[in-house]
Amino acid sequence: MVSHSGLITVMTRAARKAAPRLRRDFGEVEHLQVSRKGPGDFVSMADKRAEESIVEELRTARPDWGLLLEEGGEIAGNPDKPRWVVDPLDGTSNFLHGIPHFSISIAVMEKRPDGREEPSSALVYQPLTDETFWAEKGRGAWLHDRRLRVSSRRDLADTVIGTGIPHLGRSDPARWSSIYAAVAPEVAGIRRFGSAALDLAWVAAGRMDGFWEDDLALWDTAAGVLLVKEAGGFVTDYRGSDRAFERGEYVAAAGSIHSKLQKLVAGAVR
């Protein structure tokens, strides 16, 4: 049995507490109350209920920590302490259409000496498959008790790459099309699954060899980025620098693939 910190225990407990209700709501998706949050961006009562349940658990464990929530916004805490970043339902559109691919994402963000934040603990949980991807800085990435490693493929021609496709109100279709046109002829396949948190977890697990997407919020990616890094991969922005969180741009892949994918992406957006 792999030992992990009390924080991972807290995060796992919070995700598992919210999961049964999400599974029930998913089974009755046609009866959910749904309100429009913005162009092409829906939020369900399931989102809100899951977030309330997760926040209650996290605040009980660490009452003085702040939170950044997809639905509830920012809740201030002690500025000298870490903060939680929570997406209670990453893949809401999938959920609302009965597509069984979504996740709960929870990360702990800590300040670095230069004042920037970085994730130190991470959990991505798939309620329908009961898969718990977790990572702690310096301690590796795991799927339950199995150590994760990014893909060992070296040639782009052998890779499957994940992405997010622009839609109503999100990202720039022309920019994405330029990147797609550069990447597609070089790889074995491109996949769009609809949950960035799970996409990154799957890169960490070697199920996909790489991933790119922009116009993503911190709650979409904080946990997944740590998973990829702790599984031996690299995550940068489109320019190849470490400003992915600030710029909302992500290129994630195994080391042997990352530089090749990043150069394709950068060349397409110049």
Side-chain angles (χ1 to χ4, degrees):
M1 184 73 177
V2 178
S3 65
H4 50 63
S5 73
L7 278 180
I8 296 295
T9 300
V10 168
M11 295 156 77
T12 303
R13 189 165 60 230
R16 287 183 172 274
K17 182 180 175 185
R21 186 63 181 263
L22 277 179
R23 286 192 288 265
R24 284 198 301 273
D25 285 341
F26 182 72
E28 300 177 9
V29 70
E30 67 273 16
H31 303 305
L32 284 176
Q33 291 176 269
V34 181
S35 60
R36 220 176 242 273
K37 187 167 64 173
D41 190 5
F42 298 95
V43 58
S44 67
M45 291 304 295
D47 251 328
K48 294 174 180 174
R49 285 192 292 256
E51 186 169 278
E52 288 166 4
S53 172
I54 292 167
V55 168
E56 180 182 17
E57 201 69 30
L58 299 181
R59 298 220 82 173
T60 297
R62 300 290 190 276
D64 56 345
W65 287 18
L67 297 102
L68 178 64
L69 312 167
E70 183 183 14
E71 304 306 332
E74 195 155 0
I75 299 173
N78 184 333
D80 297 324
K81 296 289 180 71
R83 66 170 176 163
W84 303 104
V85 177
V86 178
D87 190 340
L89 180 51
D90 186 55
T92 307
S93 293
N94 281 350
F95 186 93
L96 292 176
H97 287 82
I99 299 170
H101 190 83
F102 53 88
S103 60
I104 295 168
S105 176
I106 306 173
V108 175
M109 300 293 288
E110 296 198 47
K111 286 242 174 67
R112 305 190 325 188
D114 62 5
R116 295 167 63 201
E117 280 187 312
E118 65 179 3
S120 59
S121 299
L123 181 134
V124 175
Y125 180 65
Q126 217 295 26
L128 297 182
T129 61
D130 193 36
E131 289 182 307
T132 303
F133 301 88
W134 62 275
E136 293 185 283
K137 189 176 179 184
R139 299 199 60 222
W142 305 80
L143 172 55
H144 301 295
D145 294 334
R146 179 169 65 84
R147 184 75 180 260
L148 297 180
R149 298 284 185 189
V150 291
S151 163
S152 60
R153 294 183 183 89
R154 296 184 172 277
D155 296 325
L156 276 176
D158 298 328
T159 63
V160 169
I161 306 296
T163 188
I165 300 175
H167 53 83
L168 181 63
R170 287 292 299 272
S171 199
D172 180 350
R175 188 185 200 214
W176 182 87
S177 296
S178 295
I179 299 171
Y180 177 82
V183 174
E186 306 294 332
V187 301
I190 293 178
R191 302 287 183 266
R192 196 279 198 253
F193 290 115
S195 170
L198 268 181
D199 284 339
L200 289 165
W202 282 18
V203 172
R207 297 178 185 176
M208 292 196 297
D209 304 287
F211 172 80
W212 93 86
E213 190 173 356
D214 56 43
D215 197 21
L216 290 170
L218 185 60
W219 51 75
D220 296 317
T221 58
V225 163
L226 184 63
L227 282 164
V228 172
K229 289 182 175 180
E230 287 297 319
F234 291 86
V235 183
T236 66
D237 61 24
Y238 285 1
R239 305 172 209 190
S241 72
D242 68 345
R243 298 279 175 174
F245 290 133
E246 291 91 336
R247 292 180 174 139
E249 301 171 346
Y250 299 84
V251 179
S256 52
I257 295 298
H258 182 274
S259 60
K260 299 172 185 176
L261 180 61
Q262 183 271 322
K263 284 172 185 171
L264 288 173
V265 172
V269 297
R270 279 199 186 106

